[in-house]
Amino acid sequence: QVQLVESGGGLVQAGGSLRLSCVASGRSFAINTMAWYRQAPGKQRELVAGISSGGSTNYADSVKGRFTISRDNARNTLYLQMNSLKPEDTAVYYCNANLLRYSSYYEDTWGQGTQVTVSS
């Protein structure tokens, strides 16, 4: 089984920055696309940013110009640099990875989530 473990969440004032990390570990996998999602209380989970295995990125309109997604393929690690944070960025942030398992099939895996709280 492959696990995704997020870290880097916390409490920050509006205008501040945080950097989230997500490390994948396990056996017999290769990572295809990776992404960050978030879910605020009472709202549906939404895509924040995604990155392909080749490094192509996409962002939600609400975070463009403020957030940067990146990955270190050698370390199986995904990052999200969040700058100019706003109270509306408050949510649980989840790491998602699309994995090729045993060179045979694809599966989606989620991390447990990390809380980001932005105070006004």
Side-chain angles (χ1 to χ4, degrees), residues 43-96:
K43 295 188 177 182
Q44 289 189 329
R45 190 173 297 189
E46 64 175 357
L47 176 67
V48 175
I51 185 168
S52 71
S53 56
S56 298
T57 60
N58 62 286
Y59 295 91
D61 288 342
S62 59
V63 307
K64 281 180 182 177
R66 300 188 298 121
F67 291 9
T68 302
I69 189 171
S70 61
R71 61 191 285 175
D72 183 336
N73 292 330
R75 292 181 168 82
N76 291 328
T77 302
L78 177 70
Y79 302 100
L80 185 68
Q81 178 65 44
M82 304 186 294
N83 298 328
S84 303
L85 283 161
K86 303 176 181 180
E88 51 263 43
D89 294 318
T90 295
V92 178
Y93 284 70
Y94 296 92
C95 174
N96 169 269

Side-chain angles (χ1 to χ4, degrees), residues 86-108:
K86 303 176 181 180
E88 51 263 43
D89 294 318
T90 295
V92 178
Y93 284 70
Y94 296 92
C95 174
N96 169 269
N98 180 256
L99 308 172
L100 176 63
R101 301 299 313 278
Y102 302 97
S103 302
S104 175
Y105 62 91
Y106 288 94
E107 70 178 20
D108 261 6

Side-chain angles (χ1 to χ4, degrees), residues 3-4 9 17 29 40 73 85 89 111 119-120:
Q3 284 190 319
L4 303 179
S17 298
F29 71 97
N73 292 330
L85 283 161
D89 294 318
S119 63
S120 57

